[in-house]
């Protein structure tokens, strides 16, 4: 593993649904400031890893350590794990044990944002409203948990203006500046994908988890998306965890690729190393040499 | 031109034939329904013996009406939809916004002047009916509708037990004044707080439930409250109810004929109308407060989170919104306004019993919210006026007795007309009278969101 400074360390993650083992003792790290791609055939357990990392599923066993500052010492993490707390402050910075945190806390405190395989925008709200809702927690604080906002305090008005400014910035980034007042559900598909990313970015995440962001996009929209992701990473020192089937996207933008098959890691390394790994090729083609011999034998009979 | 006409004729003919076939099917269905319900009536003759009286004429009328209505609907609807589908020239947004503002100001001014206008038009004798039955009664339901709109319309949580919070408010006021001697103005906020606490108590266990399951549990909660009120006789006096609830005073001045009364203090001649008018202003103020708070909340993070929750709960959680506390606040605030309305109801009636808080009450309030268009303040108010005002109007239709005979009581057809109104709204305005959604914030211009894009919520 190349990662010198891991933002997210997945350690021995296992997820069982009844008798089915969706993820089996998976360990990998996502380095700070890098784009880590998670690939694998359909049903390999990629989205399950995402759901565990964002608190939507509670893993059967394993540890997911997210550290904001620098790399914390191993014994400090172990002390935190022993203490039973969900997060703690180490000399290097705050450390979060994601497997213990409920979904909204993962987003609000650990600063992990995500998008969904099937777009989940607030389609009946405008584009601008979608981006304002994403800034719920700081705005809630500024509105004094609604009380100050209700009596019209200036502090809330200022905070709302700042939220609108941030929304405007992201609208410009994704090229939807002129559609701020349209309903999100009215946007074309590609624009909805970009808006979902912008909405996630409005929560000011440290780690952005993208679940098949290029699914259903045409080549031009895909090119625009990769450009957007690269520019976001540059400008915001962001780390990205990416699930993607479009290999051109994966190979072009990721720094590090983890390959899953049947819930197990079969390869982990740079895009070039993974591309030439025979096990990855076999997993994607779905046939192993041994089986080819067997099929030929059956035909011969 | 001639070719076009010739081509259109067979199309029209085939459409007519299809409509006739469809209408005939509807008539057949109506016949099937009408025969068991209408065809035979058991009466009692002079000797107290049951006799069977056939009423085939009723069946014929019902079948004929169904046929005609279906045919008219099939033939008229395409033209109607064609007309509404045409894009309407939109007024410039700024002008429209200012127009809306002016209209709402005029509306509030009219409401404030309403008792005086009524007094001027019908005089003292007839004014009580118009101010109390139409004014106060409708405003109570407007307020209940606006309160429930927070839960159902904004947060998308279907609550079929809203009358429970209305009851909690009413009984809090009654019991506090009976046992501790509190006046109305002290009971009012306490009733709201108690109802809000009950909202949270209901909210906690049902938060895991969604959609139909949530609706059924809230319905059951409404019934539980009512059954407790009936059976906990030592406290609530059961079916007999609680009477002698103190009436609201005007800053300490009671509305009576005594020397310390309101009339004597201001040098008016005593009239029971003073209290009615005062009650009208109290409920108007309460309703406007509800509206103001709701409009304000919609522009705050909590209100936007409610609407986001209605649109997509999973996405909310991925953005760090605590959906549990967000749902609880919706329940609590909605219930709180229900409690205020209940407190006012108790003080206005002076007497309450569990009869006033049946499921019917919850159903009417939900119907008002759905008819008005979920989430729309104006729509809810219009629907309340139509439904409650409509019911009251039925009492006024005495001339129908001349047509249908002296036994005819138009108020008995109230539910039938509600049903008919619901069907019509479903046909022409499936998202309620005001189905579009007005965004809570805008960058350049406020554009209404089309009804089809706004979700109803899944609990």
């Amino acid at each position: 593993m190349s990662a010198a400074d891991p933002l997210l360390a997945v350690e021995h993650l296992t997820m069982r649904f009844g008798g089915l083992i969706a993820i089996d003792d998976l360990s990998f790290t996502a380095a700070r400031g890098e784009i880590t791609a998670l690939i694998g055939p359909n049903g390999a357990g990629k989205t399950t890893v995402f759901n565990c990392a964002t608190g939507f599923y509670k893993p059967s066993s394993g540890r997911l350590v997210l550290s904001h500052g620098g790399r914390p010492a191993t014994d400090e993490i172990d002390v935190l794990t022993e203490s039973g707390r969900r997060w703690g402050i180490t000399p290097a910075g705050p450390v979060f044990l994601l497997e213990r945190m409920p979904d909204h806390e993962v987003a609000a405190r650990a600063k992990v944002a995500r998008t969904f395989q099937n777009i989940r925008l607030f389609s009946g709200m405008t584009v601008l409203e979608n981006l304002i809702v994403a800034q719920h927690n700081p705005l809630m604080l500024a509105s004094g948990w609604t009380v100050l906002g209700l009596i019209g305090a200036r502090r809330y008005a200022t905070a709302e203006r700042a939220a609108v400014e941030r929304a405007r910035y992201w609208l410009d980034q994704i090229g939807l500046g002129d559609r701020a007042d349209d309903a999100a559900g009215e946007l074309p598909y590609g624009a909805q994908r970009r808006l979902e990313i912008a909405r996630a970015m409005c929560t000011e995440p440290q780690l952005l988890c993208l679940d098949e962001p290029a699914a259903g996009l045409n080549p031009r929209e895909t090119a625009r998306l990769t450009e957007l992701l690269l520019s976001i990473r540059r400008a915001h020192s962001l780390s990205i965890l990416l699930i993607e089937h479009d290999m051109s996207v994966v190979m072009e933008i990721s720094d590090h690729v983890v390959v899953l098959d049947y819930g197990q890691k079969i390869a982990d390394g740079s895009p070039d190393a993974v591309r030439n790994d025979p096990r990855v090729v076999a997993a994607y083609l779905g046939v192993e040499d041994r089986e080819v011999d067997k099929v030929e034998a059956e035909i011969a009979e | 031109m001639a070719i076009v006409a010739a081509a259109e004729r067979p199309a029209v003919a085939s459409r007519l034939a299809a409509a006739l076939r469809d209408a005939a099917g509807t008539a057949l269905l109506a016949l099937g329904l009408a025969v068991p319900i209408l065809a035979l009536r058991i009466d009692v003759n002079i000797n107290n013996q049951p006799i069977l009286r056939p009423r085939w004429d009723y069946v014929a009328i019902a079948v004929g009406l169904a046929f005609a209505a279906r045919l008219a609907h099939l033939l008229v609807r395409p033209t109607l939809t064609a007309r509404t589908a045409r894009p309407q020239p939109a007024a410039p947004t700024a002008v429209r916004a200012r127009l809306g503002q002016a209209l709402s100001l005029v509306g509030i001014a009219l409401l404030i002047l309403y008792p005086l206008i009524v007094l001027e038009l019908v005089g003292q004798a007839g004014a009580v009916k118009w101010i109390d039955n139409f004014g106060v009664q409708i405003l109570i339901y407007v307020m209940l509708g606006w309160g429930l709109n927070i839960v159902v319309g904004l947060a998308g949580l279907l609550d079929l037990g809203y009358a429970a919070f209305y009851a909690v408010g009413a009984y809090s006021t009654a019991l506090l004044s009976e046992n501790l001697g509190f006046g109305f103005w002290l009971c009012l906020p306490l009733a709201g707080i108690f109802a809000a606490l009950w909202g949270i108590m209901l909210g906690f266990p049902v938060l895991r439930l969604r959609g139909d399951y949530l609706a059924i549990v809230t319905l059951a909660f409404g019934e539980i409250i009512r059954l407790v009120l009936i059976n906990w006789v030592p406290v609530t006096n059961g079916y007999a109810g609680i009477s002698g609830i103190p009436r609201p005073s005007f800053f300490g001045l009671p509305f009576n004929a005594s020397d310390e009364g309101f009339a004597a203090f201001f040098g008016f001649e005593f009239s029971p109308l003073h209290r009615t008018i005062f009650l009208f202003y109290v409920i108007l103020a309460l309703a406007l407060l509800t509206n103001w708070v709701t409009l304000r909340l919609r522009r705050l993070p909590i209100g936007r989170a409610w609407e986001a929750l209605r649109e997509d709960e999973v996405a909310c959680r991925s953005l760090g919104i605590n959906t549990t506390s967000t749902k609880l606040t919706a329940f609590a605030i909605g219930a709180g306004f229900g409690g205020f309305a209940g407190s006012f109801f108790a003080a206005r009636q002076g007497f309450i019993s569990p009869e006033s808080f049946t499921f019917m009450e919850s159903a009417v309030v939900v119907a008002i919210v759905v008819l008005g268009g979920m989430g729309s303040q104006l729509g809810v108010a219009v629907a309340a006026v139509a439904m409650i005002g409509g019911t009251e109007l039925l009492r006024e239709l005495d001339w129908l007795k001349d047509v249908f005979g002296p036994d005819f009581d138009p108020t008995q057809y109230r539910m039938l007309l509600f049903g008919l109104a619901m069907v019509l709204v479903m046909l022409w305005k499936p998202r309620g009278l005001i189905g579009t959604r007005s965004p809570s914030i805008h960058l350049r211009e406020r554009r209404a969101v089309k009804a089809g894009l706004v979700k109803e919520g899944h609990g």
Side-chain angles (χ1 to χ4, degrees), chain B residues 55 81 85 96 101 146 202 244 280 313 325 341 366 374 431:
Chain B
R55 298 193 302 186
T81 39
R96 224 170 355 163
Q101 235 165 23
W146 279 342
L202 167 67
F280 177 86
E313 186 178 338
S325 59
V366 172
M374 298 206 301
R431 299 302 295 257

Side-chain angles (χ1 to χ4, degrees), chain A residues 56 103-104 107 116 120 122-124 129 132 136-137 146 149 152 156 160 164 177-178 180-183 186, chain B residues 296-297 299-302 304-305 311-312 314 317-318 320-321 437 440 442-445 447 449-450 453 455:
Chain A
F56 279 82
D103 40 26
H104 63 87
F116 295 88
R120 284 182 173 274
F122 307 124
S123 58
E129 282 180 307
I132 301 285
H136 177 80
N137 286 316
T146 307
Y156 173 68
E160 197 184 58
V164 171
D178 52 340
D181 298 321
D182 287 340
E186 282 179 331
Chain B
R296 199 92 200 211
L297 286 176
R299 286 169 174 74
L300 286 173
I302 186 71
R304 295 203 184 101
E311 296 287 323
D312 194 325
V314 172
R317 286 190 275 150
S318 83
I321 296 174
R437 177 181 170 273
S440 64
H442 59 100
L443 212 53
R444 271 178 286 277
E445 58 166 340
R447 266 177 263 161
V449 177
K450 283 193 211 104
L453 291 169
K455 297 206 176 69

Side-chain angles (χ1 to χ4, degrees), chain B residues 141-142 144-146 149 368-385 434:
Chain B
Y141 280 91
V142 169
L144 286 173
W146 279 342
N149 195 23
I368 286 173
V369 174
V370 172
L371 270 179
M374 298 206 301
S376 158
Q377 295 291 98
L378 181 64
V380 167
V382 172
V385 171
I434 298 184

Side-chain angles (χ1 to χ4, degrees), chain A residues 125-174:
Chain A
M125 302 174 88
T126 64
V127 170
L128 178 65
E129 282 180 307
N130 268 273
L131 299 184
I132 301 285
V133 168
Q135 303 175 53
H136 177 80
N137 286 316
L139 282 176
M140 201 67 182
L141 196 67
S143 75
W145 284 273
T146 307
V147 179
L148 285 178
L150 205 56
I151 57 172
R154 188 175 303 158
R155 191 172 130 207
Y156 173 68
T158 319
E160 197 184 58
R161 263 200 302 281
V164 171
E165 271 320 304
R166 173 167 300 134
R168 201 202 290 263
Y169 167 79
W170 282 108
L171 285 175
D172 290 339
Q173 291 290 304
I174 60 171

